[in-house]
Amino acid sequence: MSEQQITAAASGKLKIGKDLQVNRLGYGTMQLTGPGVWGEPADPEGALRVLRRAVELGVTFIDTADSYGPYVAEPLIKQALHPYKEDLVIATKVGLTRPGPDEWLPVGRPEYIRQQVELSLRHLGLERIDLMQLHRIDPKVPLEEQIGELARLREEGKIRHIGLSEVTVDQLEAAEKITSIASVQNLYNLVKRDSEPVLEYAEANGIAFIPWFPLATGALAREGSPLDEMAVRLNAKPAQLALAWLLKRSPVMLPIPGTSTRSHLEENIASAGITLSDEDFNTLSQLK
């Protein structure tokens, strides 16, 4: 099967919040912005083409944030894909401010969260955001105020589901005492698995787990390594095996590999067609 024939549908299905079905291999938009996740992309038309190609290849879950740019990725999505396909879910985030390139500061004041949700609705051309994630918990603001404002926005019909990003199990449990949480997005990949307890909690409680930076392979991909040898044997790239490993790791896993090039996008989507044997999966699992 050629990469062009493989679509994200081959990754299987996942329901977010028990009712929002998506293909389990999504697309993340952070790399569509300028250096330092700041400003416009060097090739705006190329960014639009990548977004359109992702949907052509069966991606039904696109992850973005108001802070990507800031205010760059969301308008690009609207320009490329609006009016949206009925099965396309756009998840965005709120709660980080951007004083400059590569700088990220949490702001969780309820009035700020509300303002940013309203702006995301406008920038994306939506009346309701299917999944609004709190990008970071602001330690200066009570959690009840941050999550509570998102819950109020959901009651008003402006949000369908609420997610969290970069949280511990304790924080996730505390948030669930305030309202239902549909997803969690933490750093997790083949070489960095500190969020294993959060993944296990998410799986046990039917919460979608969205690993960001899912493609990291680092030194594991060096020539002659077990990962490299497996990639040669399976006629795949090490990064594709890293994605295939994530998909096999848990049924609640929803990787969102990002890229600014069409060729890399097609490589990533093709990983949905890789079925790891239990032996290969265990070999990769032991590499950390």
Side-chain angles (χ1 to χ4, degrees):
M1 179 180 282
S2 70
E3 290 184 353
Q4 284 70 27
Q5 293 174 307
I6 297 169
T7 73
S11 63
K13 305 288 186 183
L14 170 66
K15 283 188 177 180
I16 300 171
K18 299 181 175 61
D19 67 342
L20 194 62
Q21 183 168 278
V22 296
N23 290 330
R24 283 208 303 137
L25 190 56
Y27 173 72
T29 63
M30 191 171 74
Q31 293 187 39
L32 292 183
T33 63
V37 199
W38 187 260
E40 301 289 337
D43 180 11
E45 288 301 318
L48 299 177
R49 286 193 293 271
V50 168
L51 284 162
R52 290 168 183 147
R53 183 59 175 156
V55 173
E56 287 174 0
L57 290 172
V59 168
T60 57
F61 183 85
I62 293 179
D63 180 83
T64 190
D66 64 348
S67 56
Y68 294 168
Y71 313 130
V72 170
E74 289 179 337
L76 281 172
I77 292 170
K78 180 181 178 183
Q79 185 179 350
L81 301 173
H82 194 276
Y84 304 114
K85 292 182 64 177
E86 188 174 339
D87 63 348
L88 182 63
V89 172
I90 298 172
T92 191
K93 304 181 214 61
V94 64
L96 282 179
T97 58
R98 301 298 309 284
D102 289 319
E103 294 184 80
W104 310 79
L105 297 175
V107 174
R109 295 194 308 273
E111 65 272 21
Y112 180 74
I113 287 176
R114 177 169 290 272
Q115 170 187 285
Q116 297 309 106
V117 169
E118 293 287 358
L119 285 174
S120 288
L121 287 166
R122 186 186 309 171
H123 291 154
L124 289 166
L126 291 169
E127 294 183 359
R128 181 179 66 178
I129 292 167
D130 279 328
L131 178 62
M132 174 57 77
Q133 304 155 94
L134 184 62
H135 213 155
R136 292 294 185 276
I137 292 175
D138 184 348
K140 298 177 181 178
V141 178
L143 183 63
E144 292 82 0
E145 294 185 16
Q146 301 173 67
I147 302 298
E149 189 64 20
L150 290 173
R152 281 187 287 275
L153 287 159
R154 183 175 57 193
E155 290 169 5
E156 294 168 16
K158 295 175 180 179
I159 293 172
R160 183 170 181 173
H161 292 298
I162 297 170
L164 301 176
S165 180
E166 278 308 299
V167 292
T168 64
V169 171
D170 287 346
Q171 289 171 324
L172 182 51
E173 288 180 324
E176 286 200 292
K177 291 178 181 177
I178 302 167
T179 192
S180 59
I181 301 298
S183 70
V184 60
Q185 183 169 158
N186 277 21
L187 173 61
Y188 186 86
N189 53 52
L190 189 57
V191 298
K192 188 157 183 67
R193 307 182 210 168
D194 297 352
S195 287
E196 196 82 31
V198 179
L199 170 59
E200 292 172 356
Y201 181 92
E203 185 171 339
N205 291 277
I207 297 172
F209 186 91
I210 306 168
W212 62 271
F213 198 32
L215 289 175
T217 52
L220 295 183
R222 68 185 180 279
E223 187 173 354
S225 69
L227 177 58
D228 177 62
E229 291 177 353
M230 188 182 299
V232 171
R233 173 167 55 83
L234 298 177
N235 192 28
K237 301 253 174 73
Q240 291 177 313
L241 294 187
L243 284 172
W245 179 84
L246 285 171
L247 290 169
K248 189 175 176 68
R249 170 63 185 82
S250 172
V252 301
M253 192 79 75
L254 176 52
I256 48 168
T259 178
S260 60
T261 69
R262 176 171 167 150
S263 60
H264 192 200
L265 170 73
E266 292 174 350
E267 281 183 6
N268 291 341
I269 298 301
S271 65
I274 298 173
T275 302
L276 293 175
S277 67
D278 291 344
E279 181 180 358
D280 285 342
F281 174 80
N282 290 334
T283 297
L284 293 178
S285 298
Q286 293 165 12
L287 292 181
K288 70 172 183 176

